Amino acid sequence: MNEQQFASDNYAGVCPEAWEAMQKANQGSAVAYGDDEWTALASDGFRRLFNIDCEVFFVFNGTAANSLALASLCQSYHSVICSAAAHIETDECGAPEFFSNGSKLLVAPAVDGKLTPEAIRTLALSRTDIHFPKPRVVTITQPTETGLVYSIDEIKAISAVCKEFNLKLHMDGARFAHACEFLACEPADISWKAGVDVLCFGGTKNGMAVGEAVLFFDKALAEDFDYRCKQAGQLASKMRFLAAPWVGMLESGAWLKNAQHANRAARFLAEQLSTIAEVKLMFPVQANGVFLQAETSVLDNLRAKGWRFYTFIGGGARFMFAWDADLARVQQLADDIKAAVSEQAV
Amino acid sequence: MNEQQFASDNYAGVCPEAWEAMQKANQGSAVAYGDDEWTALASDGFRRLFNIDCEVFFVFNGTAANSLALASLCQSYHSVICSAAAHIETDECGAPEFFSNGSKLLVAPAVDGKLTPEAIRTLALSRTDIHFPKPRVVTITQPTETGLVYSIDEIKAISAVCKEFNLKLHMDGARFAHACEFLACEPADISWKAGVDVLCFGGTKNGMAVGEAVLFFDKALAEDFDYRCKQAGQLASKMRFLAAPWVGMLESGAWLKNAQHANRAARFLAEQLSTIAEVKLMFPVQANGVFLQAETSVLDNLRAKGWRFYTFIGGGARFMFAWDADLARVQQLADDIKAAVSEQAV
Amino acid sequence: MNEQQFASDNYAGVCPEAWEAMQKANQGSAVAYGDDEWTALASDGFRRLFNIDCEVFFVFNGTAANSLALASLCQSYHSVICSAAAHIETDECGAPEFFSNGSKLLVAPAVDGKLTPEAIRTLALSRTDIHFPKPRVVTITQPTETGLVYSIDEIKAISAVCKEFNLKLHMDGARFAHACEFLACEPADISWKAGVDVLCFGGTKNGMAVGEAVLFFDKALAEDFDYRCKQAGQLASKMRFLAAPWVGMLESGAWLKNAQHANRAARFLAEQLSTIAEVKLMFPVQANGVFLQAETSVLDNLRAKGWRFYTFIGGGARFMFAWDADLARVQQLADDIKAAVSEQAV
Amino acid sequence: MNEQQFASDNYAGVCPEAWEAMQKANQGSAVAYGDDEWTALASDGFRRLFNIDCEVFFVFNGTAANSLALASLCQSYHSVICSAAAHIETDECGAPEFFSNGSKLLVAPAVDGKLTPEAIRTLALSRTDIHFPKPRVVTITQPTETGLVYSIDEIKAISAVCKEFNLKLHMDGARFAHACEFLACEPADISWKAGVDVLCFGGTKNGMAVGEAVLFFDKALAEDFDYRCKQAGQLASKMRFLAAPWVGMLESGAWLKNAQHANRAARFLAEQLSTIAEVKLMFPVQANGVFLQAETSVLDNLRAKGWRFYTFIGGGARFMFAWDADLARVQQLADDIKAAVSEQAV
């Protein structure tokens, strides 16, 4: 077993609550393709959690969840407005374009990764002729890829612009739980009550082996989405193993507890480093990620000390924490960063 | 817990060997997206099993495995020759057409589900003008959707026609292990040694929760296939959970043992019914499926007795067995069929 | 200049009425991309001809017209019900699948090329699970690829089944004018009044250089179709040259006169051959095509005499007539067929 | 007839040489789908003009020409490097993404519209992981959308970077003739001899009604491109009408003469305005476009005087000239601009 690393929240394994539910589900026969009890239970769990009778689908990963959701909201000649930092733009290898057969991403420059009503307005108005794809959807990542959380009011303001321009609002919630935890709000508050039409609720980064949930709050938008999933290779035959972990997470409250722990680990690292002038936070720490700005030599030294991490736009370093973050190991990371800084200073 | 049903081999759960490997893999941090030890181990396991340095990829399900493999072998204006009974034609909701952006399936009529060299030749020659998609790939399912196993010689004969017409040969091996067991041959014998270019090796139906392996025996054909998987939403972030079960299955031999048990259960049912004139086998039982021809009233009666099953082309009933088939329950099924027949006779 | 051939109605050039309109349109500047007067005139011409305020689009060819229309009616996981003889199935190289990103064609066997309400019903009911593409559209070719014309009642009966199963009705009218001429009916009678939602009205085979019109009788279905055309490479920059020929054809009545002449030529050939027992009509001659059943040796002899023609399913020969068919040359064809037959007889 | 406008070179009609060839081609029967004499003649004409045995295809418009060519060079998970001003990025409504089923455009910022070797290098190196589409093609527009012409050396330098990174080089030559004229070079010099793999040679903007030629200098890259065209709705049935104008243009030299006239008109306008300080050229005038920077009120005034024009990035005005530009009318435009400026000054 390797020492814990914080390069990605995908490095973590499966949390006990998800595991136990899978184990329970692994008893005897179950009907395939989602007509089983676990799938029904998980779907109802989401409806209860969001306090709305929404349509719920389970797919394998975030790339598919986001791309299928977007494809269901637009045709190939439509476009999707997103931030330049959006995962669908930077890290899904053209998946949204593939699933939609060509929908273009209209990318808004974003200093901190957040999309703003003004940026949406600008892009929505930039072209209105048939020689350019027609905007149909806005997508925001909650929290952003930079670890920032949209407030309820920010989402409502974005939703208002969407309505003005007849755009649907999609939320990439790969770490949705972490946003709920930070805001201490109900899931509904930052989703359908704030104007979100479709939410991709992430399970993998929050303690599951595999699997994301796609929630359509406007049920009409979900028409034939089951066919879409099937055709796109996203219908699990043994669906119970995608659904059961959700039951475990939702019933036990682990979905929130895991996020809480991950967020706390991030804050812990940030606090540890708050006294070192040589290392700066690129963004306020609101969710489970810490983005550090430091000299290249400091980062190189840190790598030499055995730490893995992604480097971020502009030369920063990203550390992501999951449900399993060992605070002693976070402390060790903080100590090593301090050491790297002081070694550098010499 | 429900009583065991044999409507599908997807009704079974995860076998102990796969489960334990997953459990072992669920320790500490692991690098994401396949750069972990389990993925390396599983890939090497396949290379050893097939005795060739092939390229190995792990995807979520069979629809994706087959569709991505076929898409890598042809362009949108090419076509894929398959049997009318092929899963890609009958049960993947247009997935091959979707992933390839339009490749047409050229469907050969097939009484028993098998594709023949003659049928391939006929389709390959039927059209050679640009107004019809150009054949580029032949795909066969081993065993077929009707439970028949292609012999080594049959595959070689098909491969010979493929070479003659410059067609690649793809094998849908959703139940590949069951074919190996029936033929008592090495995996290599009915794959690359017999001329197969790409094999989709099924894990789900053979005891895993989720996951299929795509094996390219001609490594050149695998160029950029990792990008293709990523874009199509088939790259697992926590890849260890797709790979580890394979390690468990391959190292323990469960991949073959499970198939053996499933095949045996099918033969057991067939034997039990061999004395009843009112129920006929639609196809010889070679793998893990039994296809029965019986009066509709008999089948209705069987359903009334609580059994689930799919009805097959021409009014038959399909029963599929997995690694977990309880022979006592199979006996019960046989008894209920007999009872249904005799109740019918009255 | 080569001697006239009747292998295809695409062998003919541009008729005088279309040519003169193009010539007139070729004066001075015109706004690009359809914002010109010719395009407005042509669109209005269609609205007058069909006596309805429909949406009209001009595209380059029939493959695109049909494929774009079908793509606008269904998603990738939907299917299109058509006859086995349908051009979209047999001669568009997978274009419908390409433009729709994977919609499957559900093909009804058809002895004479016509689709029937019964065949539609059978296909619509054959599968209703998510493992098979969901039927969304029915397409019929008027006249069929076998030269038969659907009567008003036949179309209404098909439309009734469509409504029953919530299917849209598309008409491939590559030779729509020829059907109008045969039935001596108004264009509206066999299109929107009979339940057709979208019609592709052919220009190329009826005397134009290039260009088909797509008519949406239900304007809501045309939403963003202009974007669809643009993205798919079907928006002509110098649109006047696609539109003007239509103005010439519609205003002069050449659209019907050309079809009349072509139909007459076909009937003329059929009459000439009616006395020869050795040559049989495969289908009644209703439009501009004659399909002959004759011994291979007769057909070979005919080829040796310099005639070009396509051979049809089952060994027949197809002759197609256009606006420019020279009746003396048709007579010569008839004579040569007779000669081939009698030479054969010796 | 409207007064001549210079908003687009697509406003012009068909030049006499193209028209006469079409007229000549409109005699009697001709075999369909490109197996006719005109298509052979046009193809040979291109081979002679470029002094190389290249593969030549004729498609309907520039959107299709570029998108099909790019799709033939890359898979859906690949990317295309282009300038931010490239037509495929700004004015083809997502066509490249559609035809390729999702290839992403990697857009290099470009002050003057030109792509540079440095920009290509930067984009080629920016990401090399599977989470981002892999660069496979570079495309340049010759002349650029800003009216600038790449020199032979500039193209060679770009080609060198392409080879370094294993990228194919595509040229969007919607106004290729205008570049040849400006550089007074052979077509080969700025295409295959400089490293271009595929060229889309524009006919529409240079005096044809419709039609572009796609030239593959590396014939291996053209494999099955005819199928690709057919499937994508870009195979003309009456191909002679796409091919014949090219014969007329190439044999008469009109292809170059037209460009010469258009370029001259642009220079003429630029010269007329060179003395007015209030109006600045945004870019040197090298081809057939003039891009003016002027106060909004001046441009509004010009519109009020009846002139049509597109406004360009940053508030400029674009004027494009074609083979038919009436120099007296250009003079009038110059006069009106001067008048607008002086009226503004008051």
Side-chain angles (χ1 to χ4, degrees), chain A residues 123 169 179 186 195 312:
Chain A
L123 282 171
L169 181 53
E186 291 297 314
F312 195 67

Side-chain angles (χ1 to χ4, degrees), chain A residues 76-77 88-94 97-105 127 129-134 310, chain D residues 76-77 88-94 97-105 127 129-134 310:
Chain A
S76 60
Y77 43 82
I88 59 160
E89 167 66 13
T90 64
D91 283 282
E92 289 180 358
C93 196
E97 293 91 340
F98 173 76
F99 281 89
S100 65
N101 198 20
S103 300
K104 211 176 179 72
L105 304 185
R127 290 287 293 272
D129 58 287
I130 59 168
H131 304 283
F132 201 71
K134 185 179 183 175
Y310 286 94
Chain D
S76 59
Y77 43 82
I88 59 160
E89 166 66 13
T90 64
D91 284 282
E92 290 181 359
C93 196
E97 293 91 340
F98 173 76
F99 281 89
S100 65
N101 198 21
S103 300
K104 209 176 180 72
L105 304 185
R127 291 285 294 271
D129 58 287
I130 59 168
H131 304 283
F132 202 72
K134 186 178 183 175
Y310 287 94

Side-chain angles (χ1 to χ4, degrees), chain A residues 92-162:
Chain A
E92 289 180 358
C93 196
E97 293 91 340
F98 173 76
F99 281 89
S100 65
N101 198 20
S103 300
K104 211 176 179 72
L105 304 185
L106 304 192
V107 174
V111 178
D112 61 0
K114 272 193 188 171
L115 198 57
T116 62
E118 295 67 39
I120 295 168
R121 180 183 305 277
T122 302
L123 282 171
L125 287 172
S126 68
R127 290 287 293 272
T128 53
D129 58 287
I130 59 168
H131 304 283
F132 201 71
K134 185 179 183 175
R136 278 299 281 142
V137 194
V138 167
T139 178
I140 56 176
T141 314
Q142 172 74 319
T144 66
E145 290 75 9
T146 53
L148 296 181
V149 175
Y150 289 93
S151 70
I152 296 176
D153 283 349
E154 283 175 325
I155 300 171
K156 283 184 175 167
I158 284 173
S159 163
V161 183
C162 288

Side-chain angles (χ1 to χ4, degrees), chain B residues 76-77 88-94 97-98 101-105 127 129-134, chain C residues 76-77 88-94 97-98 101-105 127 129-134:
Chain B
S76 59
Y77 43 82
I88 59 161
E89 166 67 11
T90 64
D91 282 282
E92 290 180 358
C93 196
E97 293 90 339
F98 173 76
N101 198 22
S103 300
K104 209 176 181 73
L105 304 185
R127 290 286 293 270
D129 57 287
I130 59 170
H131 304 283
F132 201 71
K134 187 179 182 174
Chain C
S76 59
Y77 43 82
I88 58 160
E89 166 66 12
T90 63
D91 282 282
E92 289 180 0
C93 196
E97 292 91 340
F98 173 75
N101 198 23
S103 300
K104 209 175 180 72
L105 305 185
R127 290 286 294 269
D129 57 288
I130 58 169
H131 304 283
F132 201 72
K134 186 178 181 174

